[in-house]
């Protein structure tokens, strides 16, 4: 199973490798939608709907994003963002690119998948819309909510009718019956009515279900032919109603684990003519079970308890199932993969070809309900999906690119299916790209199987292999051998009619070949043609040739009356008043009475079915002719392309010249118009200027009059203003005089009262002054006494602290001096010990040199020298170890001294108590400044070194006595050896001296 995440992409591929659904789950692809924003989240799909072709579907999520998925082209596209959840979808409108979507705001919008634009906006519901049903013509739609159902005209997008009901009776569903003009309304009280769409006349009402079955209908489904209604609800029972008889004819009990039915959907089949036999039942556990309503057997199921299904939709041709899962994802199932284990190609038990022929002779035709199933069984179609897909993937063949020009079919879907089928045949075998009558031969089967292109292709291919044997041996001419056989059979059974044809120059290419190349589709109605091919597919391939003869024989009366060639051509290309049952009986008579030497079964092979997996190779034609025609056609096509390119170039040049000429003429016309407009405007401007001049003169005169009036008025106003101003000034002077008098009186009064207040205030101030002076003297005495006491206490405290601090410093200095003295003595002793050691080492070296000068250099001397060197090394190592110990002790003393200094410095941070404690600690430390054991160790080091040197000297003297006993015959050898030893001694001495000096310097 392949999973596809739409993410933030607006378009892309549905799957990246060709899907291979398994028979267990049948899932082609699982589609999820996760956003990659700052806070990632899963967008849940809510609804899904297929278009009329079944290869394209639309799906909407809870945020209003609507995607279209092209399963045939392996593409998806985001076509709309509605910003609100969609509650229902429909995609089978009259205009194939438009679809309806019901939104959460109770409105219905129509969008176009190609332009992605809003086509219309329909309002009128007051509650959520949960169902949209589209009429088979695509011109009407019914939208259903819980309180009403509304009928819309999709040409004008206006509401035609509205169904109002009582609040106590709710609506379950209102929808169109397929292939009819009937509306079915289902209510919550289990009442079901059928209405005529145009007049809304009640056609019938289904009776109430039996009382023994206490079930309230909630979900419904209708077969494609509109004959059977399936209803279910909160129960494990299914009710099947026959709408023609308006009665309940079957009750199906589902398994006990099914407690409620949430959704019903019939599975279409290309061979059941709309009388669907398989019903999908979605229960409360999220599992959709597909059962046969005739045998009541479980065929297969989709979904599981872990991955439950919320709702499902089946494509019109029954190839795909689109399911919205409970987790919000979208699963696309392959019906072919799910039904692979069900052998649909084999006939049922007890049903074989012979019995079918007996049944056909008895009734004259197969039941319409089972005709397609019987045809598929008789032809033994292999249903090679992979091989057919490889042919389809090659695209439209170049020979059929302009098929619509030669065959202008109104239905674009039918034309597209015909083009694909013919292209697949041309890719299968090269001859079919040059066969002019192939569209006529395949068209009736394409029209019959337009919803299943695979079956259509295999039926046509089987027909060509078996019933069109030897047709292509004289290609591109008609099959002369086949037509000769028909003429021989006609000559045997009706010589008069054949002679009539010969007399009027009518050949078999006129009375036989038109019937064969169109397989009788031009001269028979749909029902007659189906009845004929029930017999053709049930018999030997020669039956079709016999049918041509029988058609002529049964039509001998009108044919004998025809004398013109045009009449004969018209007769064999149009429908005639002929009973097909008579023709079929005549065919059987001819099959039995025709002699074996002219019987076509001797030249035609028996029926051979298409091979499974891959289609057989078809090469029964003159290959060199086809190749030559292909080459010539390719050459002609290239010449045509060159010619078209050249003609297009010339036309482009002519168009450019014409366009430039038109532009030039337009430019000259525009310039002329501009010149005329300029002259006209200049004249208008002159007239306007004259008018303006006259108006300015009149305006100047009026302005002069107004100015004179204004001057008179200003003079009068000025005089009136001066008089008023003089009166105001006089009144102001009088007012000021009165005010001055009043102010003088008030000031005198205030001065008198202020003098009195000042006197009282002076007395109060004097009394307060004396009181303040008294209090100030008392407070100053108290404060002076407190300040004196604080100063005395502070001075005593400072003296005590300084005394303790000086005492601490003296103690610390005394201790430091004592410690320094001891350290200096120890350092001197260590240095003296080092000097003594150096002197002794030098003495020892001199003794060794003297001993080596007297060494005679033989094997005994060499061994003694090696022993002396080992002992010297041991002595030096011992001396160095002792010296290192002394230096280490000196470093420890120095570290101890630094620690004492740090401890003394910490005493400055506290006051009385800390100073006393620090002083006592310093005194205790002064009593034992150094460890006696360390002193004794320092004193004993020189003694140990002296004893070691004495031992070495005694050993060297014994060595010297032994060397004196040697003879003088090695004098010359001794001199050379002594020189080498002397050099070695000097190097060892220098190395020892350097090692001794390094720790000595570190110690100092």
């Amino acid at each position: 199973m392949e999973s596809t995440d739409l993410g933030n992409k607006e378009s892309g591929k549905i799957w990246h490798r060709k899907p291979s659904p398994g028979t267990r789950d049948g899932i082609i692809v699982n589609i999820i939608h996760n956003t990659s924003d700052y806070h990632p989240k899963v967008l849940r799909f809510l609804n899904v709907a297929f278009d009329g072709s079944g290869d394209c579907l639309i799906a909407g999520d809870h945020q209003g994003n609507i995607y279209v998925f092209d399963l045939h082209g392996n593409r998806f596209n985001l076509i709309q963002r509605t910003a609100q959840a969609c509650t229902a979808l429909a995609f089978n409108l009259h205009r194939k690119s438009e679809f309806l979507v019901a939104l959460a705001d109770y409105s219905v919008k129509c969008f176009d998948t190609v332009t992605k634009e809003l086509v219309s906006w329909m309002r009128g519901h007051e509650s959520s819309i949960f169902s949209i049903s589209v009429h088979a013509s695509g011109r009407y739609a019914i939208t259903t909510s819980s309180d009403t159902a509304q009928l819309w005209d999709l040409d004008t997008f206006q509401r035609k009718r509205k169904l109002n009901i009582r609040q106590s009776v709710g609506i379950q569903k209102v929808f169109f019956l397929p292939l009819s003009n009937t509306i079915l309304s289902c209510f919550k009280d289990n009442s079901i009515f059928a209405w005529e769409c145009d007049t809304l006349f009640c056609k019938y009402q289904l009776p109430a279900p039996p009382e023994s079955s206490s079930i309230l209908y909630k979900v419904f489904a209708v077969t494609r032919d509109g004959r059977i209604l399936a209803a279910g609800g909160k129960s494990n029972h299914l009710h099947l109603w026959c709408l023609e008889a308006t009665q309940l004819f079957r009750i199906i009990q589902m398994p006990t684990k099914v407690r409620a039915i949430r959704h019903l959907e019939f599975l279409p089949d290309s061979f059941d003519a709309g009388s669907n036999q398989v019903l999908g039942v979605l229960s409360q556990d999220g599992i959709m079970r597909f059962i046969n309503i005739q045998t009541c057997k479980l065929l297969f199921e989709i979904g599981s308890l872990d991955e439950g299904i919320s709702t499902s939709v089946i494509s019109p041709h029954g190839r795909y199932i689109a399911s919205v899962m409970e987790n919000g994802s979208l699963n696309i199932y392959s019906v072919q993969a799910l039904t692979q284990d069900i052998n649909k190609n084999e006939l049922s038990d007890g049903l074989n070809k012979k019995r079918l022929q007996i049944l056909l002779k008895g009734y004259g035709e197969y039941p319409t309900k089972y005709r397609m199933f019987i045809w598929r069984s008789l032809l033994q179609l292999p249903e090679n999906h992979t091989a057919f897909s490889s042919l389809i993937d090659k695209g439209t063949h170049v020979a059929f690119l302009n098929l619509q020009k030669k065959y202008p079919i109104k239905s674009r879907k039918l034309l597209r299916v015909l083009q694909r089928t013919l292209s697949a045949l041309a890719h299968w075998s090269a001859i079919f790209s040059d066969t002019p009558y192939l569209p006529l031969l395949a068209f009736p089967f394409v029209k019959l199987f337009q919803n299943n292109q695979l079956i259509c292709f295999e039926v046509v291919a089987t027909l060509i292999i078996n019933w069109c044997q030897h047709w292509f041996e004289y290609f591109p001419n008609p099959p002369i051998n086949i037509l000769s056989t028909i003429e021989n059979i006609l000559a045997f059974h009706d010589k008069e009619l054949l002679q009539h044809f010969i007399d009027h120059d009518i050949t078999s290419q006129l009375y036989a070949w038109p019937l064969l190349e169109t397989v009788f589709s031009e001269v028979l109605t749909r029902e007659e043609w189906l009845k004929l091919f029930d017999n053709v597919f049930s018999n030997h391939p020669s039956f079709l040739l016999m049918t041509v003869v029988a058609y002529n024989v049964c039509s001998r009366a009108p044919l004998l009356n025809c004398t013109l060639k045009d009449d004969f051509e018209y007769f064999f290309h149009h429908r005639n008043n002929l009973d097909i049952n008579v023709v079929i009986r005549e065919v059987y008579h001819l099959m039995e009475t025709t002699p074996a030497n002219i019987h076509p079964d001797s030249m035609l092979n028996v029926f051979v079915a298409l091979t499974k997996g891959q289609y057989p190779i078809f090469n029964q034609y003159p290959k060199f002719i086809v190749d030559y025609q292909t080459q010539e056609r390719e050459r002609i096509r290239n010449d045509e392309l060159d010619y078209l390119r050249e003609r297009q170039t010339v036309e482009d040049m002519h168009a450019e010249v014409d366009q430039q000429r038109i532009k030039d003429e337009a430019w000259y016309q525009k310039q002329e118009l501009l010149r005329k407009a300029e002259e006209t405007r200049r004249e208008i401007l002159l007239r306007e200027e004259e008018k303006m001049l006259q108006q300015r003169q009149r305006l100047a005169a009026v302005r002069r009059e107004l100015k004179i009036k204004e001057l008179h008025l200003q003079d009068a106003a000025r005089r009136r203003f001066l008089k008023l101003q003089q009166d105001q000034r006089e009144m102001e002077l009088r007012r000021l005089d009165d005010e001055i008098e009043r102010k003088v009186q008030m000031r005198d009064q205030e001065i008198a009262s202020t003098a009195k207040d000042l006197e009282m205030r002076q007395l109060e101030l004097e009394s307060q002054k004396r009181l303040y002076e008294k209090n100030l003297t008392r407070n100053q005495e108290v404060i002076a006494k407190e300040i004196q006491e604080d100063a005395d206490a502070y001075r005593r405290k400072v003296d005590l602290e300084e005394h303790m601090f000086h005492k601490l410093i003296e103690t610390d200095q005394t201790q430091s001096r004592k410690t320094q003295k001891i350290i200096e003595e120890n350092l001197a002793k260590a240095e003296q010990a080092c000097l003594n050691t150096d002197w002794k080492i030098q003495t020892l070296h001199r003794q060794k040199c003297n001993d080596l000068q007297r060494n005679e250099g033989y094997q005994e001397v060499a061994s003694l020298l090696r022993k002396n060197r080992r002992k010297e090394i041991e002595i030096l190592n011992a001396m160095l170890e002792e010296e290192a110990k002394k230096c280490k002790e000196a470093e420890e003393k120095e570290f101890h001294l630094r620690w004492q200094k740090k401890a003394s410095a910490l005493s400055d941070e506290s006051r009385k108590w800390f100073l006393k404690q620090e002083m006592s600690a310093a005194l205790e430390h002064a009593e034992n400044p150094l460890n006696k054991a360390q002193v004794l160790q320092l004193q004993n080091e020189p003694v140990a070194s002296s004893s070691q040197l004495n031992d070495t000297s005694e050993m060297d003297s014994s060595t010297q006595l032994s060397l004196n006993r040697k003879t003088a015959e090695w004098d010359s050898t001794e001199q050379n050896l002594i020189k080498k030893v002397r050099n070695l001694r000097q190097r060892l001495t220098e190395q020892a001296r350097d090692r001794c000096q390094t720790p000595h310097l570190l110690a100092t």
Side-chain angles (χ1 to χ4, degrees):
M1 179 186 70
E2 184 170 350
S3 181
T4 300
D5 188 358
L6 303 183
N8 292 332
K9 295 182 290 186
E10 295 188 358
S11 63
K13 291 185 177 181
I14 304 177
W15 52 77
H16 296 283
R17 60 180 180 179
K18 194 169 184 179
S20 55
T23 57
R24 186 179 61 84
D25 55 8
I27 298 178
I28 298 176
V29 64
N30 170 252
I31 302 172
I32 58 177
H33 191 188
N34 294 329
T35 61
S36 58
D37 298 335
Y38 182 73
H39 295 290
K41 58 182 178 180
V42 178
L43 300 183
R44 295 177 290 102
F45 287 102
L46 297 179
N47 291 281
V48 64
F50 278 96
D51 67 346
S53 67
D55 293 329
C56 189
L57 61 94
I58 54 174
D61 59 26
H62 72 277
Q63 285 193 352
N65 301 315
I66 300 177
Y67 290 85
V68 59
F69 298 92
D70 184 1
L71 301 179
H72 180 73
N74 186 25
R75 299 289 300 176
F76 73 87
N77 287 285
L78 175 64
I79 56 176
Q80 198 56 241
R81 299 180 188 269
T82 61
Q84 51 184 328
C86 60
T87 58
L89 290 170
F91 200 15
N92 290 324
L93 277 62
H94 176 61
R95 291 171 289 275
K96 302 302 180 183
S97 61
E98 296 178 359
F99 67 93
L100 297 176
V101 53
L103 301 175
D105 61 353
Y106 313 149
S107 66
V108 180
K109 291 184 179 180
C110 179
F111 294 101
D112 193 296
T113 59
V114 178
T115 62
K116 301 181 181 181
E117 294 180 352
L118 176 65
V119 178
S120 180
W121 193 349
M122 296 173 282
R123 293 179 176 272
H125 283 273
E126 297 180 355
S127 60
S128 179
I129 301 170
F130 55 80
S131 173
I132 300 177
S133 177
V134 182
H135 191 265
S137 64
R139 300 185 182 276
Y140 304 102
I142 295 176
T143 57
T144 308
S145 61
S146 60
D147 55 352
T148 184
Q150 300 184 12
L151 177 65
W152 302 88
D153 187 344
L154 297 182
D155 289 333
T156 61
F157 294 101
Q158 299 294 322
R159 184 173 62 190
K160 292 188 63 178
R161 297 294 177 90
K162 181 179 181 181
L163 175 63
N164 292 317
I165 60 171
R166 297 193 306 270
Q167 294 182 356
S168 59
V169 180
I171 299 176
Q172 287 290 8
K173 194 174 184 180
V174 179
F175 55 95
F176 288 105
L177 288 181
L179 305 178
S180 69
N181 207 29
T182 304
I183 300 175
L184 209 64
S185 60
C186 310
F187 301 94
K188 292 184 178 179
D189 60 354
N190 281 4
S191 59
I192 300 175
F193 295 87
W195 312 85
E196 183 67 28
C197 177
D198 297 329
T199 62
L200 289 186
F201 173 75
C202 183
K203 299 173 68 175
Y204 57 84
Q205 178 184 0
L206 296 182
E211 297 180 357
S212 59
S213 178
S214 59
I215 175 176
L216 292 177
Y217 295 154
K218 291 184 178 296
V219 289
F220 306 89
V222 182
T223 56
R224 301 285 170 171
D225 58 3
R227 296 180 178 179
I228 298 176
L229 170 68
K234 197 173 182 180
S235 172
N236 64 343
H237 286 179
L238 275 175
H239 287 186
L240 298 180
W241 292 85
C242 179
L243 297 181
E244 293 179 343
T246 65
Q247 63 182 2
L248 180 68
F249 71 92
R250 183 167 298 164
I251 298 177
I252 299 176
Q253 184 177 2
M254 298 296 292
T256 56
K257 52 188 174 182
V258 176
R259 298 190 301 274
I261 299 174
R262 293 163 51 185
H263 185 71
L264 294 173
E265 189 89 10
F266 277 98
L267 179 63
D269 192 341
S270 303
F271 299 97
D272 57 11
S275 58
N276 311 133
Q277 303 298 314
V278 180
L279 176 63
V281 181
L282 177 62
S283 57
Q284 86 290 340
D285 56 1
I287 299 175
M288 193 168 188
R289 299 169 175 87
F290 288 82
I291 61 172
N292 189 305
I293 60 175
Q294 298 295 334
T295 62
C296 299
K297 291 182 179 180
L298 178 64
L299 303 179
F300 62 92
E301 60 184 29
I302 58 176
S304 62
L305 296 177
D306 297 332
E307 296 181 358
I309 297 175
S310 177
T311 183
S312 287
V313 178
I314 303 176
S315 61
H317 52 52
R319 189 179 303 168
Y320 304 112
I321 302 174
S323 298
V324 178
M325 311 304 290
E326 292 179 351
N327 59 7
S329 64
L330 181 64
N331 280 359
I332 308 297
Y333 296 90
S334 171
V335 176
Q336 192 269 339
L338 292 170
T339 58
Q340 188 171 0
D341 295 336
I342 304 172
N343 190 1
K344 293 184 178 180
N345 294 324
E346 295 182 358
L347 295 175
S348 60
D349 297 337
L351 187 64
N352 53 35
K353 190 172 182 178
K354 292 184 178 180
R355 295 189 61 181
L356 285 174
Q357 290 175 344
I358 296 172
L359 178 68
L360 184 62
K361 288 182 180 180
Y363 292 94
E365 61 178 333
Y366 291 128
T368 303
K369 185 176 182 180
Y370 300 103
R371 173 178 282 124
M372 300 306 164
F373 176 72
I374 295 173
W375 280 18
R376 188 170 62 181
S377 302
L378 289 172
L379 299 178
Q380 302 177 19
L381 302 182
E383 298 187 22
N384 299 327
H385 289 272
T386 305
F388 179 71
S389 298
S390 65
L391 294 176
I392 291 296
D393 292 342
K394 294 180 180 179
T396 304
H397 197 276
V398 292
F400 304 107
L401 289 175
N402 299 320
L403 183 67
Q404 68 275 10
K405 294 181 180 179
K406 189 175 181 181
Y407 300 97
I409 302 174
K410 293 182 179 180
S411 174
R412 299 178 66 180
K413 176 187 176 183
L414 191 60
L415 176 63
R416 185 170 63 254
V417 175
L418 177 62
Q419 193 176 37
R420 289 181 180 176
T421 304
L422 296 178
S423 298
L425 290 169
H427 291 307
W428 175 43
S429 181
I431 192 174
F432 297 128
S433 62
D434 299 321
T435 306
Y437 56 85
L438 185 64
L440 300 175
L441 179 71
F443 180 75
F445 298 98
V446 170
K447 191 173 183 180
L448 187 63
F449 299 101
Q450 57 183 320
N451 291 328
N452 196 328
Q453 299 176 33
L454 170 64
I455 301 301
C456 177
F457 171 81
E458 292 186 349
V459 168
V460 175
T462 305
L463 177 71
I464 292 173
I465 290 177
N466 294 278
W467 282 270
C468 299
Q469 298 181 44
H470 308 292
W471 280 27
F472 307 98
E473 293 179 357
Y474 295 90
F475 183 84
N477 299 315
I480 305 300
N481 51 350
I482 297 296
L483 298 179
S484 299
T485 302
I486 294 174
E487 187 173 352
N488 293 333
I489 299 172
L490 182 61
F492 179 81
H493 291 284
D494 198 336
K495 294 182 180 179
E496 181 184 359
L497 180 60
L498 178 61
Q499 188 62 40
H500 179 72
F501 287 153
I502 294 173
D503 294 341
H504 294 86
D505 197 19
I506 304 300
T507 64
S508 57
Q509 296 186 19
L510 184 59
Y511 66 80
W513 181 237
L515 300 177
L516 288 176
E517 66 179 0
T518 61
V519 287
F520 294 89
S521 61
E522 289 184 346
V523 297
L524 298 178
T525 63
R526 174 186 172 89
E527 289 73 16
E528 292 173 345
W529 186 86
L530 292 173
K531 185 180 294 186
L532 171 63
F533 270 85
D534 283 344
N535 292 271
V536 170
F537 288 150
S538 301
N539 290 277
H540 191 271
S542 61
F543 190 90
L544 183 62
L545 304 183
M546 288 296 188
T547 306
V548 177
V549 178
Y551 188 85
N552 284 271
V553 171
C554 294
S555 305
R556 66 188 314 272
L559 288 175
L560 292 174
N561 292 329
C562 294
T563 58
L564 300 177
K565 188 175 182 179
D566 293 340
D567 295 339
F568 286 103
E569 290 180 353
Y570 183 87
F571 183 88
F572 289 105
H573 285 281
H574 292 81
R575 295 175 183 174
N576 302 292
N577 187 15
L578 186 65
D579 188 358
I580 191 63
N581 295 318
V582 175
V583 175
I584 294 173
R585 286 196 297 270
E586 181 65 23
V587 173
Y588 282 107
H589 173 71
L590 295 177
M591 291 285 289
E592 294 175 356
T593 59
T594 301
N597 58 342
I598 62 172
H599 201 290
D601 60 0
S602 60
M603 64 178 297
L604 298 180
N605 298 324
V606 295
F607 174 81
V608 177
L610 296 177
T611 56
K612 189 75 173 177
Q614 294 292 334
Y615 296 117
I617 299 174
F618 185 82
N619 53 4
Q620 300 173 6
Y621 57 88
K623 191 173 186 300
F624 68 95
I625 295 178
V626 175
D627 294 341
Y628 175 75
Q629 288 187 347
T630 303
Q631 294 174 2
E632 288 297 313
R633 186 172 56 255
E634 187 67 25
R635 184 183 59 79
I636 294 171
R637 184 180 294 110
N638 293 331
D639 294 341
E640 288 180 353
L641 291 175
D642 295 338
Y643 169 73
L644 289 175
R645 281 195 293 267
E646 293 177 359
R647 190 177 69 179
Q648 185 65 31
T649 304
V650 174
E651 290 179 355
D652 293 341
M653 293 176 64
H654 284 305
E656 290 179 359
V657 172
D658 295 339
Q659 189 175 6
Q660 186 63 36
R661 182 174 54 78
I662 292 171
K663 288 182 179 179
D664 294 342
E665 291 178 358
W667 185 80
Y668 285 123
Q669 292 177 1
K670 187 176 181 181
Q671 294 297 323
E672 183 67 20
L673 292 174
L674 289 174
R675 186 183 62 77
K676 291 180 181 179
E678 185 178 359
E679 292 176 355
T680 305
R681 283 177 174 78
R682 189 179 291 111
E683 293 175 357
I684 294 172
L685 286 174
L686 291 175
R687 289 195 298 269
E688 291 295 330
E689 288 178 355
E690 291 177 358
K691 292 180 181 179
M692 288 291 294
L693 182 60
Q694 294 174 3
Q695 290 178 358
R696 285 177 181 175
Q697 291 175 355
R698 290 194 298 270
L699 184 61
V702 173
R703 189 177 294 167
R704 284 194 298 271
E705 293 177 359
L706 290 175
K707 190 67 174 178
I708 294 171
K709 290 181 180 179
E710 185 178 358
L711 291 174
H712 289 311
L713 290 173
Q714 288 179 357
D715 186 41
R718 184 177 58 80
R719 289 195 298 271
R720 188 166 55 253
F721 178 72
L722 290 175
K723 185 176 181 304
L724 179 61
Q725 191 176 16
Q726 184 178 1
D727 295 341
Q728 288 180 351
R729 287 181 179 178
E730 290 178 357
M731 290 177 63
E732 185 70 20
L733 289 174
R734 289 195 296 271
R735 187 181 63 78
L736 290 174
D737 291 340
D738 295 339
E739 186 69 21
I740 289 170
E741 291 179 0
R742 188 174 62 80
K743 291 289 185 181
V744 169
Q745 292 177 0
M746 290 178 64
R747 187 181 60 189
D748 293 341
Q749 292 176 0
E750 289 177 358
I751 289 171
S753 61
T754 302
K756 292 179 181 179
D757 291 339
L758 288 174
E759 291 177 359
M760 293 297 294
R761 186 60 180 168
Q762 185 66 27
L763 294 174
E764 290 179 358
L765 289 175
E766 288 180 357
S767 62
Q768 289 179 0
K769 180 181 179 182
R770 288 193 294 270
L771 182 60
Y772 288 157
E773 288 177 353
K774 183 179 179 181
N775 291 335
L776 181 60
T777 303
R778 188 184 299 111
N779 291 335
Q780 286 179 351
E781 291 176 356
V782 173
I783 290 171
K785 188 181 293 184
E786 291 179 357
I787 290 172
Q788 186 64 32
E789 291 176 357
D790 292 340
D792 294 340
Y794 179 73
R795 188 166 49 254
R796 288 193 301 270
K797 182 175 64 176
V798 169
D799 292 341
L800 181 59
E801 289 179 358
E802 288 181 353
H803 176 69
M804 294 177 68
F805 181 71
H806 287 300
K807 188 175 180 182
L808 179 61
I809 290 173
E810 290 175 358
T811 305
D812 187 32
Q813 290 178 351
T814 304
Q815 179 62 30
S816 298
R817 284 194 295 272
K818 290 180 179 179
T819 305
Q820 185 175 4
K821 184 177 180 181
I822 293 170
I823 291 172
E824 289 176 354
E825 291 176 355
N826 293 335
L827 289 175
K829 291 177 181 180
E831 187 173 358
Q832 186 63 36
C834 291
L835 292 175
N836 293 334
T837 305
D838 292 338
W839 178 76
K840 291 178 180 179
I841 290 171
Q842 292 176 2
T843 303
L844 181 61
H845 285 172
R846 284 194 298 270
Q847 292 175 358
K848 292 296 182 181
C849 290
N850 294 330
D851 293 337
L852 288 173
Q853 291 175 2
R854 292 184 298 270
N855 194 348
E856 295 180 359
Y858 198 59
Q859 184 175 0
E860 183 177 357
V861 175
S863 61
L864 291 175
L865 287 175
R866 287 194 293 271
K867 290 180 180 180
N868 289 336
R869 283 196 295 272
R870 286 196 297 270
K871 290 183 179 181
E872 284 177 359
I873 292 171
E874 292 176 359
I875 292 169
L876 290 174
N877 290 335
M879 290 172 66
L880 291 175
E881 290 176 359
E882 291 299 328
E883 186 63 24
K885 290 180 180 180
K886 299 303 178 182
C887 294
K888 185 176 181 181
E889 289 178 0
E891 288 176 357
E892 291 177 355
K893 292 297 187 295
E894 186 177 356
F895 174 77
H896 190 64
L897 179 60
R898 287 197 300 270
W899 181 81
Q900 292 295 335
K901 288 180 179 179
K902 289 181 181 178
S904 299
L906 293 175
S907 62
D908 298 335
E909 297 176 2
S910 60
R911 294 295 182 183
K912 284 182 181 182
W913 181 84
F914 186 73
L915 287 171
K916 289 179 181 180
Q917 296 295 326
E918 189 65 25
M919 197 169 167
S920 60
L923 291 174
E924 291 176 0
H925 181 68
E927 293 177 359
N928 296 317
L930 290 174
N931 193 356
K932 294 180 180 180
Q934 294 177 353
V935 176
L936 293 173
Q937 184 177 359
L938 290 173
Q939 292 176 357
N940 293 332
E941 285 179 354
V943 179
S945 299
S946 300
S947 60
Q948 291 177 359
L949 291 173
N950 292 331
D951 296 337
T952 306
S953 300
E954 292 176 358
M955 182 185 64
D956 292 338
S957 61
S958 62
T959 304
Q960 184 178 1
L961 292 174
S962 63
L963 291 174
N964 290 333
R965 300 186 184 98
K966 300 298 178 182
T967 61
E969 59 185 11
W970 299 317
D971 289 340
S972 59
T973 307
E974 182 179 4
Q975 294 297 328
N976 296 329
L977 185 59
I978 288 172
K979 289 179 181 179
K980 295 179 181 180
V981 172
R982 186 181 294 112
N983 294 331
L984 181 59
R985 290 281 187 172
Q986 289 176 359
R987 287 198 300 272
L988 291 174
T989 303
E990 290 174 357
Q991 292 177 3
R993 191 174 296 168
D994 293 336
R995 286 196 296 270
C996 293
Q997 289 176 357
T998 302
H1000 174 71
L1001 292 174
L1002 293 173
T1004 57

